[in-house]
């Protein structure tokens, strides 16, 4: 979709990275934008960069369905019904093997990366159904296609986004709403903020957010609703489709071995700590 003149585009996680890139590209194409982020300072900077376009901005956590519903009501009242909704907000996990990953991390990542997508869909779907057409973009990840080591919390959420989006797309087949699932590869954003994931960032996050965003907007209206793009994306997608699971697991593990913190490995050490005293 080359032009977004007269359209209302909703973007979550718009304070930085791909979210900011979506906002700026939507404005460049003529849209009015409704933006969310949990960080008021980052969101204010995105709003400033979008000037002089018409912008509605709200600070809230996307894991809250009540806040999301209030946001959707404000968008309809102030800008008009949404034409494009991009459920982009996301956070990283702890970057540790499963046995060293806290329950709190699973809850936090699922709350934002998965439930944020569900909440955004639930809040805005009535508006999209009234459009002709309406476009919903749910952001999964390359890690919604493969399960890499040290990312069980993050990958679980992104696989859930993929499953949810594919079910929803089938359910909405005979409606004016088209559902797109985005699986970006290594995109150079600030999602990797913890010390544990800096080596991962340096090795894999190479693709510019602007390249991904332009592709997504250009794809709207297309029947090609699975979008796989970015560093390592094509080869990973082919491997996930064509290779036996165990072989793909081995290749991914070998590729990532040099950047993993080995202090929490091997799993046998974790298991040994839970054996009865004296057991060999």
């Amino acid at each position: 979709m080359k032009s977004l003149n007269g359209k209302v585009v909703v973007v979550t996680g718009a304070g930085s990275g791909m979210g900011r890139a979506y906002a700026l590209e939507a404005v460049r194409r003529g849209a009015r934008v409704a933006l969310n982020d949990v960080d008021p300072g980052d969101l204010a900077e995105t709003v400033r960069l979008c000037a002089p376009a018409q912008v509605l901005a709200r600070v809230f956590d996307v894991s809250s369905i009540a806040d999301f519903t209030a946001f959707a009501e404000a968008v309809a009242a102030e800008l008009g019904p949404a034409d494009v909704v991009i459920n982009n907000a996301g956070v990283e996990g702890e970057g540790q093997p499963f046995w060293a990953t806290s329950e709190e991390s699973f809850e936090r990542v699922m709350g934002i990366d998965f439930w944020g997508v569900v909440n955004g869909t639930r809040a805005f779907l009535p508006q999209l159904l009234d459009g002709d057409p309406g476009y919903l973009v749910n952001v999964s990840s390359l890690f919604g296609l493969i399960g890499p080591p040290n990312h069980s919390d993050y990958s679980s959420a992104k696989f859930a986004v993929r499953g949810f989006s594919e079910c929803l797309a089938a359910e909405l087949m005979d409606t004016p709403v088209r559902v797109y699932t985005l699986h970006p590869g290594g995109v150079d954003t600030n999602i990797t903020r913890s010390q544990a994931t800096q080596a991962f960032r340096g090795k894999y996050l190479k693709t510019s957010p602007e390249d991904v965003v332009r592709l997504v907007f250009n794809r709207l209206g297309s029947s090609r609703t699975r979008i796989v793009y970015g560093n390592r994306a094509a080869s990973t997608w082919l491997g996930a489709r064509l290779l036996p699971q165990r072989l793909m697991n081995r290749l991914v593990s070998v590729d990532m071995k040099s950047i993993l913190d080995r202090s929490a490995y091997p799993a046998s050490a974790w298991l040994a700590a839970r054996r009865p005293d004296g057991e060999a």
Side-chain angles (χ1 to χ4, degrees):
M1 181 180 291
K2 300 296 185 182
S3 174
L4 292 169
N5 283 332
K7 302 294 185 183
V8 174
V9 177
V10 177
V11 183
T12 64
S16 62
M18 286 184 62
R20 179 175 288 173
Y22 282 120
L24 296 179
E25 184 65 16
V27 165
R28 191 185 71 79
R29 298 186 186 213
R32 306 189 301 279
V33 292
L35 310 177
N36 146 270
D37 202 89
V38 74
D39 187 303
D42 287 347
L43 185 58
E45 177 61 13
T46 300
V47 172
R48 186 189 69 80
L49 293 171
C50 287
Q54 188 176 0
V55 181
L56 171 71
R58 292 289 187 272
V59 176
F60 65 91
D61 187 327
V62 295
S63 65
S64 169
I65 183 59
D67 288 345
F68 229 135
T69 300
F71 180 50
E73 291 171 352
V75 171
E78 299 185 33
L79 299 180
D83 299 289
V84 181
V85 174
I86 303 173
N87 285 313
N88 166 78
V91 295
E92 67 173 337
E94 290 183 337
Q96 296 294 327
F98 166 70
W99 52 88
T101 302
S102 67
E103 291 182 14
E104 291 77 14
S105 183
F106 272 93
E107 291 172 358
R108 181 180 67 93
V109 175
M110 289 297 292
I112 295 169
D113 292 14
F114 173 62
W115 281 107
V117 171
V118 173
N119 291 341
T121 301
R122 192 178 299 280
F124 280 100
L125 186 56
Q127 296 181 30
L128 294 175
L129 286 167
D130 284 340
D132 192 17
Y135 301 106
L136 179 66
V137 180
N138 289 338
V139 179
S140 178
S141 168
L142 204 60
F143 290 174
L145 301 173
I146 62 167
N150 284 30
H151 293 277
S152 57
D153 44 6
Y154 182 79
S155 191
S156 295
K158 293 304 186 177
F159 264 91
V161 170
R162 175 187 174 186
F164 168 73
S165 300
E166 291 183 6
C167 291
L168 187 67
E171 293 164 355
L172 295 174
M173 187 64 66
D174 296 324
T175 76
V177 177
R178 187 160 288 178
V179 181
Y180 293 82
T181 309
L182 173 62
H183 297 275
V187 182
D188 186 13
T189 71
N190 64 352
I191 190 172
T192 51
R193 301 188 183 194
S194 72
Q195 186 61 38
T197 54
Q198 292 313 298
F200 176 87
R201 177 191 181 98
K203 181 172 182 177
Y204 294 110
L205 304 193
K206 306 294 185 182
T207 303
S208 77
E210 292 76 16
D211 286 348
V212 180
V213 164
R214 283 191 291 268
L215 175 65
V216 170
F217 280 125
N218 288 341
R219 186 72 69 85
L220 297 183
S222 166
S223 60
R224 297 167 60 199
T225 55
R226 179 184 288 119
I227 305 173
V228 182
Y229 183 78
N231 185 41
R232 302 288 189 95
S235 59
T236 301
W237 172 231
L238 285 174
R241 293 189 65 185
L242 301 177
L243 296 181
Q245 180 71 59
R246 187 165 177 79
L247 174 58
M248 190 63 189
N249 288 345
R250 173 62 63 185
L251 292 174
V252 172
S253 295
V254 169
D255 188 65
M256 295 185 65
K257 187 174 183 178
S258 65
I259 63 168
L260 297 180
D261 176 7
R262 306 302 297 178
S263 64
Y265 283 80
S268 58
W270 176 69
L271 295 172
R274 284 154 178 79
R275 289 173 181 156
D277 291 343
E279 183 176 333

